[in-house]
Amino acid sequence: MEILVFDDYQGLSRKAADLIKEQVTKDSQSVLGLATGSTPLGLYKEMINDYQHGLDFSQVTSFNLDEYVGLSGDHPASYRYFMEQHLFSQINIKPTNIHIPNGQAMDIERECRVYESAIQACGGIDLQILGIGHNGHIGFNEPGTPFGKETHLIELTESTRQANARFFSSIDEVPSKAISMGIKSIMKAKQILLLASGESKAGAVHQAVEGPVVKEMPASILQLHPNVVLLLDTAAASGLNRALVNQVG
Ligand code: PGA
């Protein structure tokens, strides 16, 4: 695991964008794994900026980590809507190359299988972006999710529903289920960038990096991946053993 620590959120967002730019420049048909949440917003702004300065996303394919069950893609709290608003509508990725689980599928189990197969049919994910939940979740893989799961239906924990209630008019409107790529799907990505910002993530980051690899801390599995870069600001890195950290900005 490579751990890069930046003075601020802007620094880590720019570095993440540089790594995506490097990937897309090396292979114009790259497959990117994308995430929602507040953490990647700075990265998406930088990707839009790179597009405006000539970076071409027209051959890129994307797969998002997750989607709520029951929300249509034009619901303002759906992850499809989020991605359209914050990234896809502002770069030249082709709509047909964008993949987000369909939370309104009639047969959710089938949707999960089809989604997983579509990732493999594109040759797998070259570069996966991840955030981390306060409880260590990655995607919607909550503590206790078996590491061997591929894309699957999950029940959201109460803490995750509460953390996400800010995007809905009340907690009662937050769906109780979601489709998420599993830990196994995530671990197949060739490279993973995990972004974390702010002191509230310091505990989860510390456990994920220095704690045991256990399913109660889903992000700890990343210790076993051969190509992971953690991009942290000083606050998110504040619980880490300094000897592990590379302060870069
Ligand atoms: P956040 O969410 O970026 O909004 O903090 C991260 C996550 O829960 O995975």
Side-chain angles (χ1 to χ4, degrees), residues 13-208:
S13 300
R14 186 58 243 167
K15 178 65 181 182
D18 282 341
L19 292 170
I20 289 198
K21 189 174 171 184
E22 208 174 283
Q23 173 66 43
V24 171
T25 305
K26 185 175 73 181
D27 176 4
S28 62
Q29 298 188 0
S30 291
V31 180
L32 302 180
L34 299 176
T36 51
S38 3
T39 311
L41 286 175
L43 158 65
Y44 296 156
K45 282 207 176 87
E46 293 300 322
M47 286 169 71
I48 293 164
N49 191 39
D50 288 343
Y51 164 65
Q52 290 166 346
H53 288 86
L55 188 61
D56 180 16
F57 290 94
S58 65
Q59 303 304 313
V60 165
T61 294
S62 72
F63 286 89
N64 262 77
L65 282 169
D66 44 20
E67 179 61 285
Y68 290 112
V69 167
L71 297 192
S72 69
D74 54 9
H75 188 294
S78 75
Y79 287 168
R80 179 170 284 275
Y81 189 93
F82 177 101
M83 291 306 298
E84 283 296 332
Q85 191 185 16
H86 294 293
L87 182 66
F88 297 148
S89 63
Q90 297 178 71
I91 61 173
N92 68 336
I93 188 166
K94 288 195 185 106
T96 47
N97 287 353
I98 293 170
H99 301 82
I100 300 181
N102 176 8
Q104 287 202 308
M106 295 295 285
D107 182 344
I108 295 288
E109 296 297 335
R110 181 171 182 279
E111 171 66 16
C112 293
R113 285 195 304 276
V114 167
Y115 197 74
E116 190 72 31
S117 312
I119 298 173
Q120 301 322 316
C122 289
I125 290 171
D126 293 304
L127 193 161
Q128 174 69 54
I129 302 296
L130 294 179
I132 181 170
H134 298 110
N135 62 5
H137 73 202
I138 47 178
F140 266 139
N141 295 287
E142 301 286 11
T145 308
F147 286 151
K149 288 264 188 201
E150 297 187 321
T151 302
H152 64 296
L153 174 66
I154 49 114
E155 294 279 342
L156 298 178
T157 60
E158 212 37 47
S159 74
T160 296
R161 289 184 70 235
Q162 272 172 14
N164 292 359
R166 63 191 194 276
F167 301 111
F168 295 82
S169 38
S170 82
I171 177 90
D172 300 332
E173 285 187 20
V174 184
S176 56
K177 294 187 169 76
I179 296 174
S180 180
M181 278 167 55
I183 302 273
K184 187 171 174 190
S185 335
I186 292 169
M187 288 295 279
K188 284 191 228 166
K190 293 171 194 116
Q191 183 177 27
I192 296 176
L193 307 184
L194 183 141
L195 282 53
S197 164
E199 186 146 15
S200 69
K201 298 291 174 69
V205 168
H206 164 70
Q207 288 296 325

Side-chain angles (χ1 to χ4, degrees), residues 197-230:
S197 164
E199 186 146 15
S200 69
K201 298 291 174 69
V205 168
H206 164 70
Q207 288 296 325
V209 174
E210 295 178 53
V213 177
V214 285
K215 64 181 188 316
E216 287 66 34
M217 172 48 60
S220 64
I221 191 76
L222 300 175
Q223 294 176 28
L224 305 183
H225 190 283
N227 193 356
V228 176
V229 184
L230 261 60

